[in-house]
């Protein structure tokens, strides 16, 4: 099975990029949860790794205020 993911973001404010990357991370996490570890084996790449990378991308583009709000939600 071949899988290609192309993400192109041009002239978007950082908050939009953060939101998009977080949605991708959330969707991939949901997919991984539904399909299990077998999907990673089938695709030849760890889905959890991809989720982590998109979550890191989202975090990198969040504004300081958004980072603080996200940190507060995680702590509760």
């Amino acid at each position: 099975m071949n899988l290609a993911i192309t993400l192109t973001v041009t002239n978007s404010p950082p908050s939009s990029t953060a939101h998009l990357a977080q949605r991708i991370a959330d969707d991939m996490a949901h997919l991984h949860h539904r399909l299990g570890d077998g999907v990673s084996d089938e695709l030849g790449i760890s889905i959890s790794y991809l989720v982590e990378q998109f979550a890191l991308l989202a975090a990198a583009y969040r504004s300081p205020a958004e980072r603080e709000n996200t940190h507060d939600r995680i702590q509760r």
Side-chain angles (χ1 to χ4, degrees), residues 1-4 31 35 38-45 47:
M1 172 191 295
N2 293 326
L3 174 69
L31 174 71
L35 299 177
V39 72
S40 291
D41 296 338
E42 184 73 25
L43 295 174
I45 188 167
I47 298 298

Side-chain angles (χ1 to χ4, degrees), residues 10 20 44 46 59 66 69 71:
T10 57
L20 177 61
S46 169
E66 289 174 313
N69 287 339
H71 180 71

Side-chain angles (χ1 to χ4, degrees), residues 8-32:
T8 305
V9 180
T10 57
N11 298 325
S12 294
S15 62
S16 293
T17 302
H19 181 73
L20 177 61
Q22 188 61 56
R23 284 193 55 203
I24 292 170
D26 293 344
D27 289 347
M28 290 180 122
H30 179 74
L31 174 71
H32 186 241

Side-chain angles (χ1 to χ4, degrees), residues 49-62:
Y49 171 78
L50 291 174
V51 170
E52 179 182 305
Q53 293 306 302
F54 277 104
L56 289 171
L57 179 66
Y61 278 95
R62 283 191 188 103

